[in-house]
């Protein structure tokens, strides 16, 4: 018997194929989606309207938003930074310019946004 065949006799046997993956998936944690208060929603809306009025200045904006998990309840929060191309109030999305690897032309659903930060906000009160 060859050494390879002989070694195969003693290799570990996975009786439950995929079991380890399922255990790891179950153990993976997700975040719950934060429900904004009416005041927070209004503040966010004011920020987006302000940005919409200043898109010609091409300010750099950081948006924190919720990304639902495709396999289980909950999801994760992600922050993207870039220059906004358009705020589509009808389609309810924010679209970034495709200028660099961070902002690759992606769009973000306005309903998933929890925070917007921009240097233009320094001198403006949104409450």
């Amino acid at each position: 018997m060859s050494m390879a065949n002989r070694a195969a006799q003693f290799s570990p046997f996975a009786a439950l194929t995929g079991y380890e993956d399922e255990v790891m998936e179950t153990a993976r944690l997700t975040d719950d989606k934060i429900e904004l208060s009416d005041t927070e929603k209004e503040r966010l809306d004011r920020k987006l309207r302000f940005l919409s009025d200043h898109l010609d200045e091409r300010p750099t904006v950081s948006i924190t938003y919720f990304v639902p998990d495709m396999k289980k309840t909950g999801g994760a929060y992600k922050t993207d930074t870039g220059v906004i191309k358009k705020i589509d109030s009808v389609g309810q999305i924010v679209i970034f310019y495709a200028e660099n690897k961070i902002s690759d032309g992606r769009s973000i659903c306005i309903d998933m946004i929890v925070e917007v930060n921009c240097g233009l906000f320094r001198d403006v009160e949104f409450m």
Side-chain angles (χ1 to χ4, degrees), residues 45 48 87-94 108-113:
D45 186 53
L48 291 174
I87 299 174
D88 182 354
S89 58
V90 175
Q92 291 290 295
I93 57 172
V94 175
I108 300 171
C109 180
I110 290 175
D111 290 340
M112 297 298 174
I113 297 174

Side-chain angles (χ1 to χ4, degrees), residues 1-14:
M1 179 180 285
S2 72
M3 288 296 270
N5 288 340
R6 188 168 173 189
Q9 288 180 335
F10 300 102
S11 65
F13 174 67

Side-chain angles (χ1 to χ4, degrees), residues 54-61 82-85 97 99 118 120:
H54 292 84
L55 289 179
D56 57 328
E57 298 175 38
R58 295 176 58 103
T60 300
V61 178
V83 178
I84 294 177
K85 180 177 183 179
Y97 276 105
E99 293 182 346
C118 177
L120 292 177

Side-chain angles (χ1 to χ4, degrees), residues 36-46 126-127:
L36 299 177
S37 69
D38 289 339
T39 304
E40 293 168 324
K41 288 178 186 177
E42 180 63 32
R43 183 171 175 257
L44 186 60
D45 186 53
R46 287 184 184 149
F126 291 102
M127 289 308 246

Side-chain angles (χ1 to χ4, degrees), residues 14-33:
L16 300 173
T17 304
Y19 177 74
E20 187 174 322
D21 293 337
E22 288 296 320
V23 169
M24 288 176 57
E25 176 62 25
T26 302
R28 187 174 57 86
L29 299 177
T30 58
D31 295 322
D32 292 331
K33 184 176 185 292

